[in-house]
């Protein structure tokens, strides 16, 4: 009934529905927003990877230092391992 009584308005509404929505002036598009988010996530991921590499290096260093300290302590306490006392042949 509306189309019959108001054909011009009905046509205008139909045209507006078929047009893509225009973003407000100054508003970022969805692609821009997702691109910025992706870049932010990539930077954060790189920072976390760098921190992980540093943590792994620190753990390795601590393991080496602990081994050296254990050996020094054993030497100071004159600990002899059974495998050291066995003689070949």
């Amino acid at each position: 009934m509306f189309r019959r009584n108001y054909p011009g308005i009905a046509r205008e509404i139909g045209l507006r529905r078929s047009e893509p929505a225009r973003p407000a002036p100054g508003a970022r598009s969805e692609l821009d927003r997702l691109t910025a988010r992706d870049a932010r996530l990539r930077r954060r991921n790189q920072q976390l990877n760098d921190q992980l590499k540093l943590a792994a290096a620190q753990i390795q260093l601590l393991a080496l230092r602990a081994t050296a300290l254990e050996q020094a302590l054993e030497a100071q306490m004159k600990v002899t391992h059974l495998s050291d006392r066995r003689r070949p042949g």
Side-chain angles (χ1 to χ4, degrees):
M1 182 99 164
F2 180 81
R3 290 179 187 264
R4 189 178 313 148
N5 292 331
Y6 305 99
I9 295 174
R11 194 174 323 109
E12 185 179 339
I13 291 172
L15 289 174
R16 286 191 184 174
R17 280 187 181 170
S18 64
E19 292 177 3
R22 292 183 218 150
R28 294 178 4 182
S29 72
E30 183 71 11
L31 178 61
D32 291 340
R33 191 180 65 74
L34 290 174
T35 302
R37 182 176 179 224
D38 183 55
R40 188 172 52 251
L41 289 172
R42 286 179 188 273
R43 282 191 304 272
R44 182 65 178 143
N45 190 29
Q46 183 61 46
Q47 291 171 346
L48 292 173
N49 280 327
D50 291 344
Q51 290 176 4
L52 181 61
K53 288 176 187 175
L54 180 60
Q58 289 291 329
I59 290 169
Q60 290 174 342
L61 178 63
L62 289 172
L64 292 172
R65 290 178 78 186
T67 301
L69 288 171
E70 285 176 3
Q71 290 172 351
L73 179 63
E74 288 175 358
Q76 201 170 36
M77 294 177 60
K78 308 275 190 229
V79 173
T80 304
H81 292 281
L82 294 177
S83 60
D84 295 342
R85 296 188 76 201
R86 291 185 186 166
R87 297 183 187 188

